[in-house]
Amino acid sequence: MSLAAIVLAGGQSSRMGQDKALIPVQGVPLLRHVCDVAAECTNEIYVVTPWPQRYRELLPNSCRFVQERPLHQDIHPQGPLVGFAQGLAQVQTDWVLLLACDLPRLRGEVLQGWAQQLDTVPELAIAFVPYHAQGWDPLCGFYRRSCLPLLNAFISRGGRSFQRWLDHNEVQAIPDADKRMLFNCNTPNDLAALN
């Protein structure tokens, strides 16, 4: 089983009021922290962003950038599902670890434990993702590369919701996923809660 990681860094950070990817947590920019944790699982890391130049100096040369592009004539990229599809099109591994760039409590040993369970995921399941009362937590989970045609078809029909896409496909829930580790840092209050 081969594994790559895709880190999404394409959001506008409007609720935070500044670029989340650059915010230091314990002295390390969030994007760098997430990529460092991803490197504990794989040495093949793709960062999907409309702004590769903004982040290039933050990251090791081993990280590859995928230029996120708007679909059709739209001005702005259209959210994480589209960014994921653009990144997934560049990957050749069997599985992809998908991560948001704003996961300050991400832990490599937990991701490694999840990765060790991938060979138990049913063949028809397109993903191995945390699930809780609010629904799927799609931006910290594993996806088969072979799901790309299903993903592109959903996007071409106007789909932009990760929840809806996962609900319409077979997905294996990661058992007992630690919600604390899945904490997204989206607002100044979230940032303050880290301290």
Side-chain angles (χ1 to χ4, degrees):
M1 180 209 69
S2 53
L3 178 68
I6 291 175
V7 180
L8 298 180
Q12 299 293 322
S13 302
S14 53
R15 286 182 287 167
M16 182 63 79
Q18 60 179 307
D19 187 345
K20 291 187 293 186
L22 297 176
I23 291 175
V25 175
Q26 296 181 339
V28 179
L30 261 174
L31 177 59
R32 176 64 191 247
H33 165 71
V34 171
C35 288
D36 286 348
V37 173
E40 295 179 41
C41 299
T42 176
N43 57 12
E44 193 171 326
I45 300 169
Y46 297 81
V47 177
V48 180
T49 180
W51 315 287
Q53 292 305 114
R54 186 185 297 178
Y55 305 132
R56 201 172 299 279
E57 290 186 9
L58 286 183
L59 302 178
N61 290 335
S62 56
C63 288
R64 305 176 208 181
F65 284 90
V66 176
Q67 175 80 47
E68 186 176 351
R69 301 191 184 284
L71 295 179
H72 315 302
Q73 301 304 312
D74 296 316
I75 297 171
H76 299 293
Q78 297 186 40
L81 200 68
V82 172
F84 175 46
Q86 292 177 4
L88 195 56
Q90 305 302 314
V91 174
Q92 299 301 316
T93 54
D94 299 325
W95 284 93
V96 167
L97 167 60
L98 179 64
L99 298 169
C101 72
D102 59 356
L103 295 166
R105 294 178 175 155
L106 199 62
R107 297 194 345 256
E109 68 273 14
V110 174
L111 297 178
Q112 290 169 351
W114 292 352
Q116 289 170 2
Q117 299 175 56
L118 290 175
D119 58 0
T120 68
V121 175
E123 204 170 315
L124 292 177
I126 63 163
F128 187 48
V129 177
Y131 187 83
H132 44 75
Q134 291 78 34
W136 298 106
D137 213 314
L139 301 184
C140 184
F142 295 84
Y143 296 81
R144 291 187 198 273
R145 183 174 60 94
S146 58
C147 76
L148 183 59
L150 292 170
L151 179 56
N152 283 334
F154 180 77
I155 291 169
S156 71
R157 294 191 302 269
R160 297 294 179 271
S161 165
F162 247 113
Q163 296 292 331
R164 201 163 294 133
W165 180 60
L166 291 173
D167 283 342
H168 285 88
N169 288 283
E170 184 168 337
V171 178
Q172 176 79 30
I174 293 175
D176 304 318
D178 180 1
K179 267 190 81 172
R180 191 173 175 278
M181 190 188 83
L182 301 172
F183 174 77
N184 288 91
C185 195
N186 287 316
T187 67
N189 285 343
D190 291 342
L191 191 59
L194 289 174
N195 301 325

